[in-house]
Amino acid sequence: MTSTRPRRRADAERSIARITAAARDLLSRDPDATIDAIAEAAGVGRMTLYGHFKTRADLVEAALVAVLEAGEATLSAVDLSGDARDALSRLLASSWELVAESAALLASAQGVLPAGRIRELHGGAGDRVAELVRRGRDQGVFRTDLPVDWLVNVVQYVLHGAAEEHRGGRIATADAARIVDATVQSVLAAPSHNPHT
Amino acid sequence: MTSTRPRRRADAERSIARITAAARDLLSRDPDATIDAIAEAAGVGRMTLYGHFKTRADLVEAALVAVLEAGEATLSAVDLSGDARDALSRLLASSWELVAESAALLASAQGVLPAGRIRELHGGAGDRVAELVRRGRDQGVFRTDLPVDWLVNVVQYVLHGAAEEHRGGRIATADAARIVDATVQSVLAAPSHNPHT
DNA sequence: CTTATCTCGTATATTCCCGTACGAGATAGG
DNA sequence: CCTATCTCGTACGGGAATATACGAGATAAG
């Protein structure tokens, strides 16, 4: 992203930033949000938006890229060393809202962007969580009786569900982190004994 | 003003059954499935469909009612007595796909049907699962550190996710039941010790 | 200041889907 | 066999959303 854009004015840059922010915000809640609505939320005219994003798919992709980059930044800022359970707690605490949002946006993009493109963009995010899960297995603190991919997906689903419940006001912001952590830890934990069967 | 009895012919009955089945199938996967697509999947013409369901909301409601009735039938056929963990296993084994489908269809109906109508239809289904969770708590085998409503929702989310993974061919039919059971049991189980923190 | 760039309104074309109207042909059921 | 019922095609109108065309005015950058 360095250097020679022949000519892009500062206000244009600002408009683009506001549009992608609004797109992230609205598309996370309603996958079918109107371009009009996004433009209005961004505080720009519809035609301005079209000036920067030729088609709806372009806009969705831009929003997805933005949120995934933010997610990557957050993930890489978290200390993932030490006990995998503690690392997981730190990861969830600092990023559960963001990850949940990215999941919603991902679902938004599902039918608008080609599947290959999505997987390409999403690539790194899930891999990092998978890596953490694998490390926890090697430490003997995470379960080995279920596939890693499935466990990673369950984490996603729990986060998504928590975000939805939170938006609906059915769980408070203060409790959310604790609830998410307790739930996810239970799913990943290695069975301490043989509790049943 | 021809006041004729609503006497229905056998072939009409058959068409209706095929339409609702197709609606269940398509709407569970894509909430925005078109009426054309549903008619085509049902093997009937679009106008035939309109002959039985005047509006889209009618069709969605019919599909929702059908799947909820099937769910109710399945739930009441399962023996929910004895150890709550075993009861939960029996419930999941015999109905996890159905419950997942009902959840997906419920999401479809969100925004098409008035909220009151949905709650009215959905009434019993979730309550029974919640009741089972409460019973497990009283038995001391299910956790008490998280809200019942949250736990019920997590079960829904896990089932939904499993159905999606299964459709995408990422988990095999044979493994699905085991994976779902193991995951859900972990979430609901009362912590055997204080494993961490 | 000058210019290229950006903003943004109006108008219009297009596409998609819903729902209705009309009517001809097929079929169940007495 | 006769009739009410059902099937289903074509066609039309309404509405919503996407996307393009044209152009006038505002503004950042050199």
Side-chain angles (χ1 to χ4, degrees):
Chain A
M1 300 314 170
T2 47
S3 78
T4 61
R5 218 61 207 106
R7 266 218 161 99
R8 203 163 36 184
R9 269 169 36 177
D11 55 347
E13 207 77 50
R14 212 169 352 115
S15 287
I16 291 176
R18 290 172 66 179
I19 290 170
T20 57
R24 275 175 55 175
D25 189 31
L26 294 198
L27 288 177
S28 303
R29 265 171 293 190
D30 178 14
D32 300 321
T34 302
I35 290 209
D36 280 32
I38 294 172
E40 188 182 0
V44 302
R46 187 167 76 260
M47 305 324 295
T48 302
L49 191 156
Y50 272 110
H52 297 296
F53 303 96
K54 231 161 82 61
T55 168
R56 173 170 237 274
D58 286 350
L59 180 57
V60 172
E61 177 165 334
L64 185 60
V65 166
V67 76
L68 285 178
E69 276 175 359
E72 267 295 301
T74 304
L75 247 94
S76 56
V78 173
D79 174 24
L80 294 182
S81 65
D83 190 305
R85 291 168 294 188
D86 295 330
L88 180 63
S89 286
R90 286 194 295 271
L91 182 65
L92 293 174
S94 71
S95 70
W96 77 269
E97 281 174 301
L98 191 61
V99 175
E101 182 190 352
S102 102
L105 242 175
L106 206 62
S108 282
Q110 207 68 4
V112 184
L113 265 52
R117 183 91 185 104
I118 291 180
R119 247 186 147 66
E120 178 188 345
L121 290 173
H122 189 251
D127 291 350
R128 299 262 284 268
V129 178
E131 186 51 37
L132 177 58
V133 172
R134 267 187 223 99
R135 227 165 46 75
R137 286 177 146 191
D138 294 342
Q139 293 178 354
V141 298
F142 286 167
R143 73 195 309 164
T144 57
D145 62 333
L146 294 179
V148 173
D149 291 346
W150 165 252
L151 294 175
V152 172
N153 279 327
V154 171
V155 174
Q156 288 273 15
Y157 289 126
V158 170
L159 288 168
H160 188 277
E164 226 166 74
E165 295 298 299
H166 180 238
R167 265 201 300 275
R170 288 179 293 275
I171 60 178
T173 308
D175 300 336
R178 182 191 126 255
I179 289 176
V180 167
D181 190 59
T183 305
V184 172
Q185 295 284 2
S186 300
V187 173
L188 290 184
S192 51
H193 286 11
N194 210 345
H196 200 244
T197 299
Chain B
M1 307 330 179
T2 57
S3 59
T4 42
R5 291 291 138 157
R7 181 157 125 262
R8 238 179 299 168
R9 258 166 48 176
D11 55 346
E13 208 75 51
R14 224 179 327 129
S15 288
I16 292 177
R18 289 172 67 177
I19 290 170
T20 55
R24 276 174 57 174
D25 189 31
L26 294 199
L27 289 176
S28 311
R29 266 173 286 182
D30 178 14
D32 299 322
T34 67
I35 289 203
D36 281 30
I38 294 171
E40 188 182 1
V44 302
R46 196 166 75 100
M47 305 324 295
T48 300
L49 193 155
Y50 272 111
H52 297 295
F53 304 96
K54 261 147 215 65
T55 167
R56 174 172 235 276
D58 285 350
L59 180 57
V60 173
E61 175 164 333
L64 184 60
V65 166
V67 76
L68 286 178
E69 276 175 359
E72 268 294 303
T74 304
L75 248 97
S76 56
V78 173
D79 174 24
L80 294 182
S81 65
D83 190 306
R85 289 168 295 188
D86 295 330
L88 181 62
S89 286
R90 286 194 294 272
L91 180 64
L92 292 174
S94 70
S95 71
W96 74 270
E97 281 176 294
L98 192 61
V99 177
E101 183 189 350
S102 101
L105 246 176
L106 206 63
S108 281
Q110 212 84 1
V112 182
L113 266 51
R117 183 90 184 106
I118 292 181
R119 249 191 139 64
E120 178 187 346
L121 290 174
H122 188 252
D127 290 351
R128 275 176 68 187
V129 178
E131 186 51 37
L132 177 59
V133 172
R134 267 189 223 97
R135 226 162 49 74
R137 287 177 145 191
D138 293 343
Q139 293 178 355
V141 298
F142 286 167
R143 74 196 309 164
T144 57
D145 61 333
L146 294 178
V148 173
D149 291 346
W150 165 252
L151 293 176
V152 172
N153 279 327
V154 171
V155 173
Q156 290 273 20
Y157 289 127
V158 170
L159 289 171
H160 190 275
E164 226 165 75
E165 295 297 300
H166 180 238
R167 265 201 299 273
R170 289 180 291 275
I171 60 179
T173 308
D175 299 335
R178 184 191 123 253
I179 291 177
V180 167
D181 190 58
T183 306
V184 171
Q185 296 283 2
S186 300
V187 173
L188 290 184
S192 51
H193 287 15
N194 211 343
H196 200 242
T197 299

